[in-house]
């Protein structure tokens, strides 16, 4: 019997054949991770969607996974790394609603992962002067418009590290999502940037210490960039690359995707142009374009409430309308967190309220009361 219950949660995703979606399914079925390690195989086989082969893999690796989790917890505590468990209330709301969200991830830094606005910026590792220039201008203008904006990227060469550096330069917090454990930095040449990010932002991974930056890990980490953010911006990308994977994942999550266009014959922008062509990304040319598309109001923090709602109006007694009346504009994930309702239950209710003329939906799935 393990005294520290966190060990079971850490070990859950280390079991053979148990990925993020299955780990979450097991938590929902049993109500706790400990049961997966203590129940007999016969009971595990009763879990819907789990076959004997998967159960055999779980039973085979339970002891090893627990030992590894004990070592990982010791590493986490020694290095003052924060653990985020999907079963706890401080788990990032945006990520929580992604089906393949990790049961646990590791974070070192001081960023608010539930910040009002969070933006993912990704692109090619072989950035051109055009791509770097777009990134520099985008971050400079976004910082002027939204001083608390959190920037998320992958700490890779090219557009990623350019986004991190310019976020820091302009005073914006920035988080790097890693394709390996927090016991190393890859590429090593970005170590100084990573250290600076710990002071204003942080580093995040769902891989345990000792995990090397294998090729497949980069594709897996891209889902966290997409899931943590309101929108993903692809600055510059060829027709193949990790940035397009991130964009596809964000699109599958129902998140906003935007891209800067490039010249039609420029292979470095072929991926961006294609995203726009197939309607997977909105075309933007500036930070102002992006803010307008997302429905972000740069003056929202300072606008007096009575200026936004000059005359009182009768509002039906409805929990969602009451929330909007109290908080003002709210993104759908914020509404889900505040109301305690899952998105699948929330969406049809919001649609009915929209049809009834009580709410208006803005770009970025932001809702507000109709005047």
């Amino acid at each position: 019997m393990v005294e520290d219950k966190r060990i079971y949660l850490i070990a859950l995703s280390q079991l053979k054949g148990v990925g993020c979606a299955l780990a979450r399914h097991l938590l929902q079925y049993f109500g706790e991770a400990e049961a997966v390690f203590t129940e007999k195989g016969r009971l595990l086989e009763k879990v819907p969607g789990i076959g004997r082969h998967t159960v055999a893999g779980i039973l085979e690796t339970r002891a090893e996974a627990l030992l590894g989790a004990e070592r990982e917890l010791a590493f986490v505590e020694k290095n003052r790394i924060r653990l985020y468990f999907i079963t706890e209330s401080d788990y990032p709301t945006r990520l929580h609603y992604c089906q393949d969200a990790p049961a646990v991830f590791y974070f070192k830094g001081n960023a608010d992962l539930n910040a009002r606005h969070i933006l993912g910026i990704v692109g090619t590792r072989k950035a051109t002067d055009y791509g770097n220039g777009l990134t520099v201008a985008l971050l400079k203008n976004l910082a002027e418009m939204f001083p608390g904006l959190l920037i998320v990227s992958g700490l890779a060469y090219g557009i990623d590290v350019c986004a991190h550096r310019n976020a820091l330069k302009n005073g914006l917090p920035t988080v790097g999502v890693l394709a390996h454990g927090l016991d190393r930095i890859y590429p090593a040449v970005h170590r100084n940037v990573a250290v600076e990010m710990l002071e204003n932002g942080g580093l995040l991974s769902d891989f345990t210490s000792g995990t090397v930056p294998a090729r497949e890990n980069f594709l897996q980490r891209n889902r966290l960039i997409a899931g943590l953010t309101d929108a993903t911006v692809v600055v510059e990308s060829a027709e193949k690359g990790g940035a397009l994977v991130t964009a596809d994942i964000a699109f599958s999550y129902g998140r906003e995707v935007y891209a800067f266009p490039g010249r039609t014959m420029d292979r470095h922008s072929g991926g961006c142009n294609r995203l726009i062509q197939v309607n997977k990304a909105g075309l933007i040319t500036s930070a102002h374009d992006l803010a307008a598309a997302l429905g972000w109001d740069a003056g929202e923090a300072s606008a007096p409430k009575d200026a936004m709602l000059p005359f009182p109006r009768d509002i039906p007694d409805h929990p969602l309308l009451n929330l909007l009346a109290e908080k003002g504009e709210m993104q759908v994930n914020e509404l889900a967190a505040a109301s305690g309702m899952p998105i699948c239950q929330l969406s049809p209710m919001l649609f009915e309220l929209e049809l009834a003329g009580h709410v208006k939906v803005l770009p970025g799935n932001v809702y507000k009361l109709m005047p």
Side-chain angles (χ1 to χ4, degrees):
M1 183 67 67
V2 176
E3 292 185 6
D4 194 328
K5 304 303 180 184
R6 293 178 298 172
I7 289 175
Y8 291 116
L9 280 162
I10 295 172
L12 184 59
S13 296
Q14 309 307 312
L15 293 168
K16 183 178 179 180
V18 178
C20 294
L22 181 53
R24 188 166 183 170
H25 181 52
L26 289 167
L27 284 171
Q28 290 172 338
Y29 183 85
F30 288 110
E32 59 178 2
E34 182 177 356
V36 182
F37 294 88
T38 57
E39 296 292 351
K40 295 181 179 180
R42 292 193 304 275
L43 184 57
L44 293 174
E45 289 179 5
K46 293 182 180 180
V47 179
I50 297 183
R52 290 185 178 181
H53 180 73
T54 301
V55 171
I58 292 174
L59 296 176
E60 176 188 343
T61 55
R62 286 197 301 196
E64 180 183 351
L66 286 172
L67 288 174
E70 288 179 359
R71 291 192 296 269
E72 190 63 21
L73 186 58
F75 170 81
V76 163
E77 292 183 337
K78 177 182 178 182
N79 292 278
R80 298 180 181 179
I81 293 169
R82 182 171 178 179
L83 291 165
Y84 280 88
F85 295 110
I86 201 166
T87 54
E88 297 183 353
S89 60
D90 63 349
Y91 195 90
T93 304
R94 296 168 178 85
L95 186 59
H96 188 276
Y97 288 106
C98 301
Q99 186 178 10
D100 55 353
V104 57
F105 68 85
Y106 310 90
F107 178 70
K108 189 170 179 65
N110 56 17
D112 177 6
L113 301 181
N114 278 314
R116 171 70 173 171
H117 298 310
I118 306 181
L119 185 68
I121 299 179
V122 295
T124 178
R125 284 172 166 79
K126 299 178 180 179
T128 66
D129 289 343
Y130 171 73
N132 284 327
L134 287 174
T135 308
V136 170
L138 178 66
L139 270 301
K140 180 179 184 297
N141 293 328
L142 284 174
E144 294 170 352
M145 298 167 67
F146 307 101
L149 174 64
L150 174 60
I151 301 298
V152 178
S153 195
L155 200 64
Y157 290 108
I159 296 300
D160 285 22
V161 74
C162 184
H164 291 307
R165 284 177 174 145
N166 281 277
L168 293 169
K169 179 181 178 180
N170 289 283
L172 294 178
T174 181
V175 168
V177 183
L178 309 180
H180 47 78
L182 292 180
D183 57 333
R184 68 191 72 203
I185 294 296
Y186 178 86
V189 69
H190 294 163
R191 177 171 294 277
N192 289 342
V193 179
V195 170
E196 190 175 351
M197 289 165 66
L198 294 177
E199 298 300 319
N200 190 19
L203 302 174
L204 184 153
S205 178
D206 64 334
F207 294 103
T208 57
S209 60
T211 304
V212 299
R215 180 183 178 86
E216 60 271 16
N217 293 353
F218 288 93
L219 298 179
Q220 183 175 329
R221 70 93 190 269
N222 289 345
R223 82 193 195 289
L224 296 184
I225 298 175
L228 285 163
T229 56
D230 297 306
T232 296
V233 174
V234 185
V235 175
E236 184 179 38
S237 176
E239 291 200 13
K240 291 184 178 180
L244 298 188
V245 174
T246 306
D248 280 339
I249 295 171
F251 186 81
S252 73
Y253 288 160
R255 305 294 168 84
E256 303 289 335
V257 180
Y258 298 96
F260 284 94
R263 292 175 297 183
T264 57
M265 301 303 293
D266 188 344
R267 62 185 180 87
H268 296 289
S269 292
C272 291
N273 292 343
R274 182 64 176 167
L275 284 172
I276 296 167
Q277 183 182 34
V278 299
N279 294 319
K280 279 193 173 180
L283 187 155
I284 58 170
T285 61
S286 66
H288 292 278
D289 283 354
L290 179 64
L294 286 169
W296 289 358
D297 181 3
E300 62 189 5
S302 57
K305 290 184 179 179
D306 56 354
M308 292 186 286
L309 292 172
F311 301 107
R313 61 187 295 268
D314 293 329
I315 301 173
D317 187 14
H318 189 287
L320 297 181
L321 297 180
N322 294 339
L323 275 172
L324 290 172
E326 177 186 353
K327 303 289 186 180
E329 294 178 5
M330 296 181 73
Q331 207 269 346
V332 66
N333 289 315
E334 294 175 319
L335 270 168
S339 66
M341 299 180 192
I343 294 289
C344 60
Q345 179 183 348
L346 193 67
S347 296
M349 294 176 66
L350 287 168
F351 183 63
E352 289 181 7
L353 291 172
E354 185 182 1
L355 289 178
H358 296 309
V359 301
K360 180 180 180 180
V361 60
L362 304 174
N365 280 327
V366 175
Y367 287 83
K368 63 178 289 186
L369 289 176
M370 288 290 287

